[in-house]
Structures are given as structure tokens and as C-alpha cells.
Amino acid sequence: MFRRQEAADSRGANGRVSETHYDAAPIPEFDKRPAFIHVLLLNKTIRLFVVLGLASVVIPVFAYLFFFSREIGHDSKRDIIGTCGHPTLYHIPCGYPSNLSMAECHLLGCCYTSLATCYHSLPSEHQYIIGSDWSSGTPSVLSPYRTVTPYDRSALSEVRFDASVAEDGVGGFRFLLSKMNGSEAPSSMNTMRLETAELLVQVYSPTFFIEVKRKADQEVIFSSARGPLIMTDEFIEWTLHLGADTLFGLGRAYLEPGTKFLLLNNLNSSAVPIVMGYNAKLKLYNGLIFNTPGLTEVEIVGSRLIVVRAQLGVNFDLHFLAGPTPAKLFLQSKAILKNHYTPPYWAYGVHVCDQSPKWNLTTVRSNLELLLNETIMFDSHCLHNDQFWISDTMTLGTELESLRQMLRDAGKKFVPSLVLTLAYGGNPSFIDARENNILLRHPGNQLAYQGQVRNRTVAYIDWRTTSRSANLSQWLDSQWRKVANLGADGYTLEEATPRDERNSSLPWLKQLLYQPDQLNDTLVELLPWNTILSDSSQLVLSQHNLLGVRALEAIQERIDPGNLLIAGSFGIHNPVAILPANVSATWISLRSEVDRVIGLSMTGITFTGTPICGNAPLGNVSASEELCIRWYQFGSLLPLFRVSADRTPDRFSRFGRRVMHAILRKRFSLLEYLHTLVLEDAAYLRPMFYHYEEAANFTTELWEQFMIGDALLVAPVLLPQMSQIAIYFPETFYELWGGQAMPGNDVLQYAVVESDLPMFLRPGYTVPLRDIVDELVQLENGTATPITAELSRLKPLYLVGAFECNARRWRCSTSGRLLLQTGFLLEFGAILDEKLLISVRANVSEVEGATLRQLACSEVATINVTIGSVQLYGHPNSSQPLLHNIEYDFCLQEAKQVEFANEHRKGPSDAISNAS
């Protein structure tokens, strides 16, 4: 249906017509008796009944199809290039989704059903045509098959198509659709590349379709041939197919078929335009990354087709990721995103921020003193998240200076929240921004738009790169000199994406080229839909998702790389610590946060956190203690841990405080393992299918439990008043803190109490833990202070491992690694055979070896590199853990190997008899 036809060539390799050779062998004698079937067919009576029987079935069917069914055909007066009889699961809505009559639908060149829905034929009439002069080695110019789109706008008359191989050469392809009057495509794409060692791109003509095939078996793993391609000057709709049975991405661990996802940054959380999928038949994974500067909707139809409808800028950039495993997908995604973020070690600590709606410096001081006097564990404080607006003078008065000094004296960091909207009025920041014409504008009077944020009248910066970028840079330089007066150790960016608390301006139908069903519910959080940019009449809505991203990039250029930077608005390419805003304190939100973080981790966005127990304004509603305990448990596993001042442990009962402190101690114990994953830029939280594809029946839609790196399985409790939860163990795992064996290949009902966070160790792996038994650290001057992330590094290490044994279960091993700093690696492991052999070896960079050794071995050492003991689970002949002291000290010897007797060993023959 889609493929071009090529004439067969009957000439041989040398160009001559090949000769015909006849077989001269004699023809064997054949049976002259007629077969039974021939007897039947030669009988006139039987033939008559057969014809009448067929007619009685065929004629009614055709009569129904052509006279009664509305699901076949467009308009009878027009040519039909595709079928309307394809399955409902493959129906792509045509035009505006409701209120179309059959006549209106047919005029659009689409199909109409008896259920009054309008959908595209297959193939759709709304496609583009490749010019006849196109050759496969050069970019092509496309023209529309129909000049008018289903959205009452003209199709772009010319579109340029480019394709190139992904940067790593094997990870996939990049496809680019560009306006001909826009900027030129990248020079690297001036030559079309359609082939790698394993993959081949097929571009069909004259109707433009793309397919990506595997060379090994010619299986299609990506296609654009199953829906329309519609492009106007400001809009694109493209239907894409990954051949997947299960989809994940868009910031979620699982994408439900038959749903729509609006990628609009309305709650200070960013659009994540990445979709990945799993094909159960081929047992492979692949994915897509696309650009989405403004209003974008992604629809997952029942057949797992991916329909992207987005406002179009200069081009639409699409990356195809070839996989075929989740691990390779992650690496391919990271190669494109380049967003590796490694902040200072103290960034893994506990960060507190006062967000109370009614506040003054007296209450802020009182709350801070309470935290310090109650010896609550925390590493940094913001004072208050509404204290520092970029339009303020940023002058530290006596009161603020004393609060900052109070933090310094206690060994805490100062990480203020910086509000990036401007107070409207006579302040110099607003006046300067208005004179430089860098403010978003009202569509009526063209003046700076006035909105409301945090009960203040505000104006909004246009952070994009525009013709006035020099003005913006100069303005921000002058503002940043004020911010530098704070002497902060990091910043949290607030209100980077514009919103308006009093907005009630909603578009009518067809005022926007395409208007998703759920858009109006979203717009009440944003600027009015018709607000325009600073330098053109283009809607802010078309570039909305870029504003917070560009603000983040501008500020990153002006801060010290050693500072922590936290943002709610981010781009997929931004190296930053990510924390969403306006997360409500509900069980549904907690489950949504787990889903979100796993989805981000799988696509290569690692350094993220969750607002502990929510950070949306609560009003008169208080969060339950049980919910906050469960949120503490999940949040303690993530790189970023930030909590509102009214939800620190001292605000709960004695039981809640004890449980929360225990959770934080375990977090500090695990920090080295978590830090290693971030330094190595490895997938952080991983769905179970990442490692256990063979158990796809259990793992493809299972996100309530997950892996942290290679070694740890975690099943957080995500519902209230649970006494047991179901956990799937694909193989034998061991409870991390006690060593209890969990039978493999089974779903276990695991008993839990309110203080439990079920964590399990995978066989064959060893994790390093800091030996932290108390929340207080005794200092040399005789005083005690609450432990912090930096102080936790002064505690000795111990190792916990689980054996993986061979089939005869008489030889077992386990291993692990710890990356203390880039260039400073510890490798350790144990082999169980006739004896138990435990080894530790340090690998230190030759270039920075002296500096790295100073971290561990000088008088002012900041890292303790000693290992006291090893605890091992999974001995084949004993259910008890093995506990051995090894007393490793890096400063005395970089490598150490210790032997112990295997007290429970049985010979190979005994092992065989026991196994039988």
C-alpha cells in the first residue's frame, strides 16, 4: 500500500538477456482417473448450489458496506487513497475532536463513523510528497498532498527533511523537519545518512513515510506510515509508531494506552518529551526524543501509536533511539541529553526551607533556633522561600545577617530561594527591564503584562534568546551583583516558569490552532493564553516550556560550579538538581512522585528529589504522620532530600520523630552507594524490567517496586494502614539489614509495620555502608553535633554482600565498587570455595593521586577510607550471615586480601546429593 513499485530487470549481471533452458527429462505417466473434486465441479447441479450459497453471503455484506455503513469511504465523489476499514485501535482523530458532521468530516478528507467521530484514513490523505528530484544522499524538500489541513489552516508549502546517524554511530537516527523560510539545518545534516551497522532507514516516495528496520531480520522497529503528517506555520501533528506493547516516558514509569498527556509546564515541573517502549515479540526496547517548546499534547491510542500535536517553531527535531536493551537506551539518551550533574557532596544532605504563608523574620528565627536546639539533622536552610525576589535590593540587614551567621556557626549551608518574577512598580529592576523591552506583554496595549504571584502584582521576564538578548544579559548581570551579596552556598529557583494566580482568560474553541480537551484546566495556572512575547506578536504559549529552561541556563552561567542549584523548571538537557513545586500532601501525590522519579531516571534525568510530604500550600489541612513517614522513606532513597520547615521530625510525635531520625541515619549510611551511581552517571532508579526482561509478565507494568542501581530492590509502602504488601522477587533476594532470604520467582506477601522500608540485596552484589548508629557526632572539642552528609564521610565503612553460587552451589562470589571521587575507586569482593577469600583494592588516578590521597590521609582529611567488617548473606549451607573483620585502611595499604576458613563447607559430592 505504501511502497513504491520498481520494475523487475530480466537482464543478467553482464547486461545481456539470459537464455531459457528446458528440462529434457521425460514426463512421467500420470493417473488419468478424475479426482473427486473434479467430479463435484463438473456437476451442474452442485455448481448451481455453490454459486447461490456464495451469493447469499457476499451480496448482503457488500450491500451493508456500501449503503448502510458510514465507516467505509470518504465522499463518493472523490478519489480514495486509503482505507477507512482499519481497526478502531488505529483510528487517529481528524481535525477538532468534537461537533463535526459527516459532511464536514468528508470535506476534511477523513472518515466518519456511526458514532459521530471523524478519523484519518490509512494511509491518511494528510501527508507530504517527496519531490521527484530527490536522491537518498541529500536532504529532501516535501510538499503537502492536500493544501488545506483539518484545522482550517493552509499546510506549509515546502518542508525540508534531514536525517543523520546518532552521535555514537550505533544508537539510532536523528530526523529533522524544518520550515524552508526558517534557519538552516545543522551543517552536520547536509548529507543524508540512512544506515548504520545494524539499522537501515527506508524513505518511501512519492508519499513521504519513514521506516527504520533491523538489518538482521528486516523487522520494522519505527514507522511514520500509520497516521498523518500535518504541518502549518505554527503547528505540527505527526503519528509515530515504535512497534511497542508497553510504553513509558513523558516523566512516567508507565503510559496507559488510550490516554492523552499534556506537556505543558503549568506546575513548575517540566515537559519530558521522551517516549520509550518494549516489543514483546522481538524482545527489544527503543525510544524517541523530540522537541517541545510550547503547548504539546501526546496521545497514546489503543494500538500504542504515538500522536504528537505541538506548536511548531523553526523545526521539529526527532531522535530515534535504537536500544535494544533498557541499559543501551539509557546510554543513548544520555549521549543526546548531556545533562550529567555532580554537585558537592553536602548536596546529598537534608535541606530545609520555611514555606509558611504568614511569616516574618522573628518567626523564621524562632523556627531556626528550634531546629538547632532540638539537634535535628539537616545540612542547609533557605530561611524562607519568599524572602529573596530578584527585583529586591538583596541588602542583608542586621537581622538577616545574624540568621546567616547562625547557620554558619552551626556548620550549615545557606541555600536561599530566589524568586525570578519582578515586583511591578517603581523598583529599579522593573524599570530597567521595561526600558530594555525584555518583559512579556499584554496583547491589547502592548505594555508589560501585569499578573499576580504570591499576592504581589508582578511582571515577567522573557528569558529566551531573542534580538534583545544583549539587553537581557546586561540586565541580569546587574541583578546578579545584588544576589552575590547574599554569600550563598547555592540557590533554589522559584517561579522561573511564569504563572498568574488571578488568570481567568480561557480561549474559545478554534482560537488556538489545536486545543486539547484538558487545556482549560491547565491554563488557569498560567498567564492568559493570548499574552505575547517581548519581541513579536507570537503567543507566550508557543514558547512557554522554554522560559524556565532559559532562565535556568542564564543563571547557571553566573554561579560557581561548586554551588548547589535546585530548580523546578528544567529542560531535559539541563544539569541541575530537580525538585517539583506545588505537590500536594496526599497518598495519590506520593504514588505519582514514585512514578515520576522512575520515569525520569529511566530517560537519563538522575539528580532529582521529591518535596517531602508535599510542598503545596496546605491551608487548614495538615498532613498525616503516617503519610509523612512513608514520604520520608521514599525520599531518603533519592539524591536530593528537601523538606518544608513545618514537616521536619520535631513537628511530629515522639514515635514519628524516632522513625524519621532512623530513616535519615539509614540514608546517610547509604549515601556512598547513591553517590557512586550519580558519579558514574548510571541509571538510578530502575523498573524491574531493566534487569529482568525474562519475567516480562510481571515486570513491564510493575513500578510500585524498583531497583536502585544494580544491587538493591526497594518496595516502598504507598498506601495507608498497610500490614502487608505484595513484592515480586525474580530471584532469591536478601533483606538488606538482616539477611533473611526471600524465595525467588514468586510474589510474596511481605509483612510491614509503619517504620519499615522493605529493602533487599541482589545475589552477587556487595554495597558499602557508613557505620552510623547515632544522629550525633562527637567532635574533638568535646561537643556533639547532628550528623550531616559531610560528617557522615568521616565514619568508617562496612560491607554487606550476598553470594551468587554456581549450579552445584559449592563455589560462590559477590563483588561491588565505591567511587569516592572521580579518579578514586574502591573495588571489593568475596569468593567462597574451600576458603572464604575477601579482597579490597583501591584504584587512584595517577594524574590527581596526590590530591586524592590528601582527602583521606592528611590531618584535615574529609573522607574516611577504612573498612571495618564484611557481612555476607547466602551461604549455600547456612542460613546465618557470615560476619568477618578485615580492618582495611587505604592510608596503610591500597590493596588487602584476607582468608577465612569456610566452616560450613561441604564437598562437591555432598552439594550434589543435597541439591538432589
Side-chain angles (χ1 to χ4, degrees):
M1 184 185 299
F2 308 135
R3 292 167 169 73
R4 57 188 175 212
Q5 302 297 323
E6 298 183 6
D9 192 349
S10 62
R11 298 178 183 272
N14 55 8
R16 294 177 297 181
V17 178
S18 59
E19 298 180 0
T20 303
H21 297 278
Y22 296 94
D23 190 353
I27 300 175
E29 193 68 24
F30 59 90
D31 190 352
K32 299 180 177 60
R33 292 175 299 175
F36 180 69
I37 185 63
H38 297 155
V39 173
L40 293 178
L41 294 176
L42 290 172
N43 188 296
K44 293 183 179 180
T45 303
I46 294 176
R47 288 207 310 268
L48 177 62
F49 279 102
V50 170
V51 171
L52 291 175
L54 291 174
S56 65
V57 174
V58 174
I59 291 175
V61 168
F62 275 87
Y64 170 78
L65 292 179
F66 288 100
F67 295 102
F68 298 101
S69 175
R70 296 182 179 182
E71 299 189 12
I72 298 298
H74 309 275
D75 191 332
S76 59
K77 297 180 180 179
R78 297 193 308 102
D79 293 333
I80 299 173
I81 68 165
T83 179
C84 291
H86 51 289
T88 306
L89 288 176
Y90 289 90
H91 287 186
I92 306 300
C94 180
Y96 292 94
S98 60
N99 301 324
L100 285 178
S101 68
M102 180 171 64
E104 290 172 328
C105 179
H106 286 166
L107 285 174
L108 296 178
C110 294
C111 309
Y112 194 81
T113 75
S114 56
L115 299 177
T117 58
C118 188
Y119 64 97
H120 287 272
S121 60
L122 186 66
S124 172
E125 288 196 14
H126 296 279
Q127 292 290 355
Y128 274 76
I129 307 299
I130 291 184
S132 58
D133 58 345
W134 173 72
S135 60
S136 62
T138 60
S140 60
V141 177
L142 312 177
S143 58
Y145 179 81
R146 270 177 162 265
T147 57
V148 178
T149 70
Y151 300 102
D152 301 331
R153 306 289 176 90
S154 297
L156 279 176
S157 59
E158 289 186 321
V159 174
R160 170 172 165 157
F161 170 67
D162 296 85
S164 66
V165 175
E167 293 182 9
D168 58 8
V170 296
F173 300 93
R174 180 187 179 192
F175 305 119
L176 192 68
L177 296 174
S178 308
K179 298 178 182 178
M180 293 297 291
N181 59 353
S183 60
E184 292 295 323
S187 59
S188 61
M189 301 189 71
N190 286 333
T191 300
M192 190 86 76
R193 294 187 60 195
L194 303 176
E195 187 174 3
T196 69
E198 299 177 357
L199 304 175
L200 176 68
V201 175
Q202 182 83 49
V203 180
Y204 293 102
S205 65
T207 306
F208 170 72
F209 297 122
I210 312 170
E211 284 185 349
V212 178
K213 299 179 179 179
R214 293 195 305 175
K215 291 182 177 179
D217 50 18
Q218 291 299 298
E219 289 281 358
V220 176
I221 57 177
F222 170 76
S223 173
S224 69
R226 303 193 182 191
L229 170 58
I230 300 168
M231 295 183 69
T232 72
D233 190 58
E234 57 189 43
F235 176 78
I236 181 171
E237 177 178 335
W238 203 3
T239 299
L240 310 169
H241 184 50
L242 282 173
D245 303 287
T246 303
L247 293 173
F248 55 97
L250 306 179
R252 293 168 175 84
Y254 176 67
L255 298 179
E256 184 73 32
T259 54
K260 296 181 180 181
F261 301 89
L262 191 63
L263 303 188
L264 190 64
N265 189 348
N266 66 312
L267 292 176
N268 291 345
S269 57
S270 288
V272 183
I274 304 176
V275 179
M276 298 178 176
Y278 171 67
N279 186 307
K281 173 190 171 184
L282 303 177
K283 297 188 182 302
L284 58 81
Y285 292 81
N286 50 25
L288 300 171
I289 301 177
F290 51 93
N291 59 334
T292 172
L295 173 61
T296 302
E297 181 188 72
V298 180
E299 180 177 2
I300 310 296
V301 301
S303 56
R304 276 72 172 179
L305 291 177
I306 304 163
V307 185
V308 181
R309 302 181 183 95
Q311 294 200 356
L312 180 64
V314 174
N315 55 51
F316 185 80
D317 196 359
L318 179 71
H319 293 265
F320 170 73
L321 310 178
T325 65
K328 288 188 176 180
L329 267 184
F330 177 85
L331 295 175
Q332 292 157 8
S333 177
K334 292 296 288 188
I336 295 170
L337 301 185
K338 295 183 173 63
N339 59 1
H340 188 201
Y341 185 56
T342 52
Y345 197 82
W346 63 264
Y348 294 90
V350 176
H351 307 287
V352 180
C353 190
D354 194 336
Q355 297 184 199
S356 54
K358 295 181 180 180
W359 66 279
N360 53 50
L361 288 181
T362 302
T363 59
V364 171
R365 171 180 287 275
S366 175
N367 291 336
L368 180 56
E369 289 176 344
L370 182 63
L371 275 180
L372 295 174
N373 293 335
E374 293 288 329
T375 63
I376 302 299
M377 289 180 279
F378 73 100
D379 293 63
S380 81
H381 205 290
C382 80
L383 298 185
H384 196 280
N385 77 328
D386 199 36
Q387 175 67 59
F388 302 102
W389 286 54
I390 197 169
S391 54
D392 292 346
T393 60
M394 301 291 176
T395 302
L396 285 177
T398 304
E399 186 72 12
L400 277 175
E401 179 60 41
S402 66
L403 290 175
R404 189 180 66 170
Q405 191 59 44
M406 187 185 302
L407 289 172
R408 293 278 190 267
D409 293 342
K412 311 299 182 184
K413 308 294 184 182
F414 177 39
V415 183
S417 293
L418 189 62
V419 181
L420 294 182
T421 49
L422 302 182
Y424 193 98
N427 65 82
S429 299
F430 168 73
I431 295 172
D432 194 14
R434 184 179 59 188
E435 291 177 351
N436 280 286
N437 297 312
I438 58 174
L439 296 174
L440 302 180
R441 297 178 296 152
H442 190 283
N445 56 29
Q446 304 291 304
L447 300 177
Y449 175 76
Q450 299 180 43
Q452 181 171 300
V453 172
R454 304 185 181 194
N455 295 320
R456 297 194 196 184
T457 301
V458 298
Y460 305 88
I461 297 293
D462 186 348
W463 294 99
R464 300 170 307 116
T465 301
T466 68
S467 58
R468 298 173 182 143
S469 295
N471 295 1
L472 174 62
S473 181
Q474 181 181 4
W475 176 86
L476 185 56
D477 284 340
S478 64
Q479 308 310 310
W480 203 255
R481 283 192 288 271
K482 300 184 303 181
V483 176
N485 293 333
L486 297 178
D489 301 292
Y491 305 91
T492 299
L493 304 185
E494 306 258 1
E495 310 293 353
T497 297
R499 67 184 185 91
D500 185 2
E501 294 169 353
R502 65 185 178 194
N503 171 36
S504 59
S505 172
L506 303 176
W508 303 332
L509 185 63
K510 299 189 179 182
Q511 282 188 304
L512 292 171
L513 180 57
Y514 176 76
Q515 187 169 328
D517 297 334
Q518 70 272 44
L519 180 63
N520 282 350
D521 292 337
T522 302
L523 288 181
V524 295
E525 301 287 344
L526 305 180
L527 271 63
W529 69 273
N530 54 355
T531 309
I532 58 177
L533 298 171
S534 64
D535 62 339
S536 72
S537 59
Q538 192 176 9
L539 298 181
V540 170
L541 200 60
S542 67
Q543 300 291 319
H544 182 271
N545 291 341
L546 289 181
L547 293 176
V549 173
R550 297 294 179 255
L552 172 59
E553 292 171 351
I555 289 173
Q556 280 180 311
E557 294 174 357
R558 290 164 172 81
I559 68 171
D560 190 311
N563 287 349
L564 171 64
L565 188 61
I566 303 172
S569 299
F570 66 97
I572 56 177
H573 299 279
N574 290 125
V576 66
I578 298 165
L579 188 82
N582 298 315
V583 176
S584 59
T586 65
W587 288 96
I588 293 176
S589 294
L590 172 58
R591 293 174 61 82
S592 178
E593 283 294 279
V594 176
D595 185 14
R596 178 188 66 85
V597 175
I598 296 174
L600 293 180
S601 297
M602 276 300 296
T603 55
I605 301 171
T606 298
F607 206 97
T608 185
T610 176
I612 303 301
C613 208
N615 60 0
L618 285 178
N620 296 324
V621 180
S622 60
S624 72
E625 182 170 282
E626 182 188 5
L627 172 62
C628 288
I629 287 174
R630 296 306 186 194
W631 216 311
Y632 263 77
Q633 290 170 345
F634 171 64
S636 71
L637 307 172
L638 305 181
L640 181 64
F641 189 100
R642 192 169 186 256
V643 61
S644 299
D646 59 345
R647 292 158 201 171
T648 52
D650 57 308
R651 299 303 181 96
F652 296 92
S653 68
R654 182 176 299 179
F655 168 78
R657 174 172 175 167
R658 186 172 66 251
V659 171
M660 291 172 181
H661 274 231
I663 293 168
L664 295 179
R665 288 199 304 273
K666 287 184 177 179
R667 171 180 174 80
F668 287 126
S669 293
L670 279 166
L671 275 190
E672 295 289 3
Y673 176 72
L674 307 182
H675 180 54
T676 297
L677 293 175
V678 173
L679 282 183
E680 293 182 333
D681 209 11
Y684 192 84
L685 296 192
R686 308 173 184 182
M688 297 301 294
F689 63 72
Y690 191 96
H691 293 291
Y692 299 102
E693 180 189 339
E694 67 278 4
N697 290 340
F698 289 102
T699 60
T700 51
E701 300 177 11
L702 180 62
W703 60 266
E704 291 90 348
Q705 63 182 74
F706 48 84
M707 300 288 294
I708 304 180
D710 294 314
L712 296 178
L713 185 157
V714 183
V717 181
L718 304 176
L719 292 171
Q721 300 179 1
M722 297 296 290
S723 59
Q724 61 181 15
I725 59 174
I727 306 176
Y728 170 64
F729 294 100
E731 59 181 315
T732 299
F733 275 74
Y734 299 88
E735 200 276 323
L736 177 63
W737 309 104
Q740 179 184 1
M742 302 293 149
N745 196 26
D746 198 5
V747 177
L748 177 68
Q749 295 298 322
Y750 188 82
V752 293
V753 296
E754 194 169 350
S755 58
D756 284 342
L757 172 60
M759 299 182 67
F760 307 92
L761 184 59
R762 185 180 176 190
Y765 291 88
T766 300
V767 296
L769 301 170
R770 290 290 179 186
D771 191 6
I772 298 174
V773 296
D774 191 9
E775 52 262 27
L776 295 178
V777 177
Q778 300 298 323
L779 302 180
E780 293 180 357
N781 59 9
T783 62
T785 188
I787 198 164
T788 63
E790 290 180 323
L791 291 176
S792 72
R793 300 200 95 179
L794 299 178
K795 295 289 187 177
L797 292 159
Y798 70 100
L799 306 178
V800 177
F803 285 120
E804 182 178 42
C805 301
N806 61 7
R808 304 175 73 181
R809 296 184 60 78
W810 57 270
R811 181 180 174 86
C812 308
S813 64
T814 180
S815 62
R817 51 195 283 125
L818 166 59
L819 191 58
L820 292 159
Q821 196 106 338
T822 301
F824 194 168
L825 175 69
L826 282 185
E827 295 178 300
F828 34 78
I831 297 175
L832 182 68
D833 200 337
E834 294 183 2
K835 296 181 179 180
L836 173 62
L837 183 65
I838 301 174
S839 60
V840 182
R841 183 179 71 253
N843 294 311
V844 183
S845 167
E846 295 182 2
V847 177
E848 301 179 1
T851 302
L852 294 174
R853 285 182 174 83
Q854 289 291 315
L855 296 175
C857 304
S858 67
E859 293 183 358
V860 290
T862 56
I863 304 177
N864 186 333
V865 192
T866 63
I867 301 176
S869 63
V870 177
Q871 187 166 305
L872 299 170
Y873 308 140
H875 192 292
N877 303 314
S878 174
S879 60
Q880 297 300 313
L882 304 181
L883 182 61
H884 295 283
N885 293 323
I886 60 171
E887 304 300 335
Y888 170 81
D889 189 338
F890 164 77
C891 298
L892 299 179
Q893 56 182 136
E894 294 188 3
K896 187 173 185 178
Q897 186 169 289
V898 186
E899 285 188 359
F900 299 94
N902 184 355
E903 299 178 355
H904 304 285
R905 176 173 173 76
K906 296 181 180 180
S909 59
D910 294 333
I912 295 173
S913 62
N914 288 340
S916 62

